[in-house]
Structure formats: C-alpha cells, structure tokens
Amino acid sequence: MSTEDIKIGFAYDEPVQQSPSDTVRSVAAEYEDARTIEWMRATLQELGTVIDLPWGPDIVSRMSSVHLDVIFNITEATQGRNRESLIPALAEACGVPC
C-alpha cells in the first residue's frame, strides 16, 4: 500500500474563539487553534489522503460513510467525563486504528 492509498480520518474540534474574559482554566484553552489544525492537516497529507472529521452530532455517520485506514484524533468533544475517549471508542468499534 503506497501512501497515496492511505485514507486518514482527521478528527478535531472546530476552533473556539476565546474572549478576553476567558481564563486559563477555560475549556476553550483545551482546543487547538485554526493555525495548528491546518498545520496538522498539511502534515497528515504528506502521508496520505486526509478526510476531515470535525466534531459534531453527525460524526458517526461521517466516519462510517468512508473507508478509513486510520484516524488521527485531537478532539476534546463537548461534554461528559469521557469526552476525550469518544473518537477512540468509535474507531475501535469500527476496527479502525486510532
């Protein structure tokens, strides 16, 4: 399999704009900014075809609509104690390395 054949799912959160009132403890501080997301996407594109998977309520249908060879995950998700493990759990259930 050549690198052009590898389909990489890139799971991330849409960038959150911090307001001047946000503190270091703000949830927004956990999310990557647009520049970092673009840098990661460009780096992954050197390894194969990147399929964007921004976090959202339809992520399961988007993940299952395309055959992925691997998922690169940086999502924080939105709520719940296990929010950072949602994409790895979905990937495992689908048999896709994450």
Side-chain angles (χ1 to χ4, degrees), residues 51-68 87 90 94:
I51 310 298
D52 282 339
L53 297 170
W55 176 257
D58 63 341
I59 192 130
V60 173
S61 63
R62 285 184 283 124
M63 283 176 62
S64 64
S65 70
V66 62
H67 171 77
L68 298 172
I87 294 295
L90 290 169
C94 295

Side-chain angles (χ1 to χ4, degrees), residues 1-86:
M1 178 183 295
S2 70
T3 57
E4 295 91 37
D5 299 328
I6 297 172
K7 288 188 181 174
I8 304 166
F10 179 32
Y12 60 92
D13 298 288
E14 294 289 351
V16 174
Q17 297 297 327
Q18 287 185 293
S19 70
S21 64
D22 283 341
T23 65
V24 174
R25 293 182 178 189
S26 170
V27 171
E30 294 185 33
Y31 295 90
E32 302 300 335
D33 62 26
R35 188 176 72 176
T36 301
I37 291 170
E38 186 51 42
W39 173 80
M40 289 180 170
R41 181 184 294 114
T43 301
L44 291 170
Q45 286 174 334
E46 294 177 14
L47 303 171
T49 301
V50 175
I51 310 298
D52 282 339
L53 297 170
W55 176 257
D58 63 341
I59 192 130
V60 173
S61 63
R62 285 184 283 124
M63 283 176 62
S64 64
S65 70
V66 62
H67 171 77
L68 298 172
D69 297 302
V70 67
I71 295 177
F72 185 83
N73 173 47
I74 61 168
T75 60
E76 297 289 335
T78 52
Q79 59 188 348
R81 192 174 102 195
N82 299 312
R83 63 191 173 92
E84 293 180 355
S85 66
L86 295 174

